Amino acid sequence: MRQLTNVLNLCKDYTYQTSNVQNYIIMNQKFSEIIQSDTPVLIDFFADWCGPCKMLAPILKDVKEELGDAVKIIKIDVDKNQQLAAKYQVRGVPTMIVFKNGEEKWKQSGVLQKDEIVQVIKSNS
């Protein structure tokens, strides 16, 4: 199965300079393993050239700071992971998908405010 061609380039996690934000270094895990977590996993499908994606980044940083270990937030570059974006029918960026125990619980394209994202994650905890 060639859905995930290069695990090293699969996930680009949010890396912040805030010390209380845990960084998830994903080198040897496949996407399907990541989303199997019983903790909600918010996947941010983004592109480097996308203006709204850049606006969403600090919002997701604030979400992570508020929720801490209650959520994992992972970025996936759609240009480097086109097959994965196609599998989850990502038609525009940014697109966020929340997974829990491997099941897609919520999906939304566009920029949302922090409180809206926090509420989605809490409702899927």
Side-chain angles (χ1 to χ4, degrees):
M1 188 190 305
R2 272 189 57 88
Q3 288 181 342
L4 307 176
T5 56
N6 187 343
V7 176
L8 292 177
N9 289 328
L10 172 65
C11 296
K12 178 181 177 183
D13 188 23
Y14 285 98
T15 306
Y16 301 119
Q17 295 185 12
T18 308
S19 61
N20 65 344
V21 177
Q22 181 178 3
N23 294 323
Y24 297 93
I25 300 171
I26 300 164
M27 303 273 290
N28 298 319
Q29 292 181 314
K30 293 182 181 178
F31 184 80
S32 59
E33 294 171 354
I34 296 164
I35 65 172
Q36 288 299 322
S37 174
D38 59 352
T39 299
V41 179
L42 185 146
I43 306 294
D44 171 25
F45 286 92
F46 79 102
D48 286 330
W49 47 263
C50 168
C53 298
K54 293 175 184 177
M55 292 171 39
L56 184 59
I59 295 169
L60 292 179
K61 175 185 179 283
D62 292 344
V63 169
K64 180 62 178 166
E65 287 175 354
E66 180 172 326
L67 296 178
D69 292 337
V71 66
K72 296 177 183 176
I73 299 177
I74 307 295
K75 287 182 72 160
I76 297 183
D77 186 328
V78 295
D79 292 327
K80 294 178 182 172
N81 300 284
Q82 294 176 5
Q83 292 176 338
L84 189 61
K87 177 180 178 180
Y88 289 99
Q89 300 176 354
V90 174
R91 306 268 187 255
V93 288
T95 294
M96 295 175 283
I97 305 177
V98 174
F99 291 92
K100 185 171 180 185
N101 298 319
E103 183 180 334
E104 184 178 316
K105 298 291 192 174
W106 175 86
K107 181 177 181 178
Q108 177 75 40
S109 293
V111 176
L112 296 177
Q113 296 305 309
K114 180 187 102 172
D115 293 340
E116 295 171 298
I117 299 169
V118 167
Q119 182 59 39
V120 166
I121 293 166
K122 286 182 175 179
S123 68
N124 288 291
S125 292

